[in-house]
Amino acid sequence: MKSALKGLIFDVDGTLAETEEVHRASFNTVFERFGLDWHWSKETYRKLLTTTGGKERMARFAADEKSSRVDAKLIAYMHKAKNELYAGAIAKGELQLRPGVRSLVRDAAIRGLKLGIATTTSRSNLDALMQACFSEEEQRYFEALVCGEDVAAKKPNPDAYLQGLAKLGLQPDEVLAIEDSVVGLAAARAAQIPTIITPGIYTIGDDFRGALAVVTRLPNDIDQLKALASARARQAASLPQAR
Ligand code: XBP
Ligand code: MG
């Protein structure tokens, strides 16, 4: 990074928390309730995750299955029902933030960095997760929230990140994106934002070429995050490591 770090933009699903198993279980319950013989195994879901957005994911599956019964109207009903189930499960406290997230967010806020969210999930899902996992004070740290409904095109399109930058009033090289997936990395990179990857249960082993760094666990504070970013930048420029 050439400029001073002034902000962080976080992805949600798979990055703040391992939410995808709750999404998947909610999708499957809804398919049963609507009388479909669909069931998404982990393997199927892993492939479907390359299509971001729950409605888009169902439309892709319907097309793959050549299912004429499933039209846009039914998809919209099922998506609403899926999100209600998801929010209910999250409100019960089924999920926790991934290691490092809370302390990194708190340290960033204390140091005056601006925080944003760029996600392809629905606003109702984000609200449910924020309320369940962050204190009211921590929720207020996030100045810019960009969700699936806010963008014309979801990730890997850069819209969510471009809107996040605009809302924070920052330039791409003043922020770091924190992501867990290849599509998320592509979206952040298309917005010219250097990206730290923390792979999740569905993305371990994926090809994250182009990321600034890939870490199994997010660092607890901004100094460690900056060290990670600059070590990798020095490596990329083939400069000697500072002693
Ligand atoms: C990951 C996604 C989302 C969720 C489902 O979002 O692809 O589509 O799986 O969300 P993120 P909706 O960018 O946070 O990784 O059903 O609300 O669309
Ligand atoms: Mg994600």
Side-chain angles (χ1 to χ4, degrees):
M1 295 183 77
K2 292 183 202 96
S3 306
L5 182 63
K6 294 184 182 166
L8 302 179
I9 302 183
F10 285 86
D11 167 54
V12 173
D13 293 301
T15 298
L16 292 183
E18 289 286 13
T19 54
E20 288 299 356
E21 280 302 86
V22 185
H23 281 295
R24 187 174 71 89
S26 307
F27 277 118
N28 283 332
T29 303
V30 164
F31 299 154
E32 235 180 277
R33 284 193 189 162
F34 280 73
L36 291 176
D37 61 352
W38 290 8
H39 181 89
W40 288 352
S41 66
K42 285 186 183 174
E43 224 23 66
T44 301
Y45 199 61
R46 186 186 309 280
K47 290 178 196 141
L48 291 172
L49 278 173
T50 55
T51 301
T52 57
K55 280 191 261 191
E56 291 83 349
R57 197 167 294 147
M58 285 188 275
R60 168 183 165 186
F61 192 74
D64 289 353
E65 296 287 296
K66 299 186 177 50
S67 168
S68 54
R69 199 195 133 193
V70 180
D71 58 10
K73 200 169 157 194
L74 181 57
I75 285 177
Y77 280 131
M78 290 200 293
H79 189 246
K80 188 168 176 286
K82 187 279 283 181
N83 280 354
E84 282 165 10
L85 281 178
Y86 174 87
I90 298 294
K92 277 190 214 143
E94 279 190 18
L95 281 184
Q96 289 171 356
L97 295 173
R98 288 188 66 191
V101 171
R102 188 184 312 282
S103 51
L104 185 60
V105 162
R106 292 190 70 90
D107 191 51
I110 287 162
R111 285 155 168 265
L113 268 71
K114 295 183 165 194
L115 295 176
I117 293 283
T119 176
T120 54
T121 206
S122 310
R123 180 62 189 252
S124 59
N125 296 340
L126 175 65
D127 288 346
L129 190 74
M130 296 293 267
Q131 281 159 27
C133 293
F134 286 113
S135 70
E136 282 184 13
E137 183 196 1
E138 287 162 351
Q139 288 175 51
R140 284 196 294 272
Y141 295 156
F142 291 91
E143 283 177 46
L145 306 179
V146 186
C147 299
E149 301 93 326
D150 302 322
V151 294
K154 294 178 181 166
K155 299 175 189 177
N157 190 287
D159 274 18
Y161 279 102
L162 293 173
Q163 282 194 37
L165 285 172
K167 285 188 179 186
L168 294 177
L170 295 176
Q171 296 301 312
D173 67 348
E174 295 175 327
V175 308
L176 287 174
I178 317 286
E179 271 285 353
D180 72 308
S181 70
V182 171
V183 272
L185 172 62
R189 295 241 314 156
Q192 312 292 327
I193 302 175
T195 307
I196 305 286
I197 293 286
T198 176
I201 51 171
Y202 273 108
T203 58
I204 280 173
D206 287 355
D207 181 354
F208 292 114
R209 245 173 296 176
L212 201 52
V214 181
V215 290
T216 50
R217 180 203 195 284
L218 282 177
N220 284 325
D221 61 46
I222 292 298
D223 284 342
Q224 288 173 39
L225 189 74
K226 278 185 185 168
L228 202 64
S230 62
R232 186 53 192 266
R234 274 197 304 275
Q235 206 182 348
S238 303
L239 296 173
Q241 299 279 319
R243 281 165 197 268

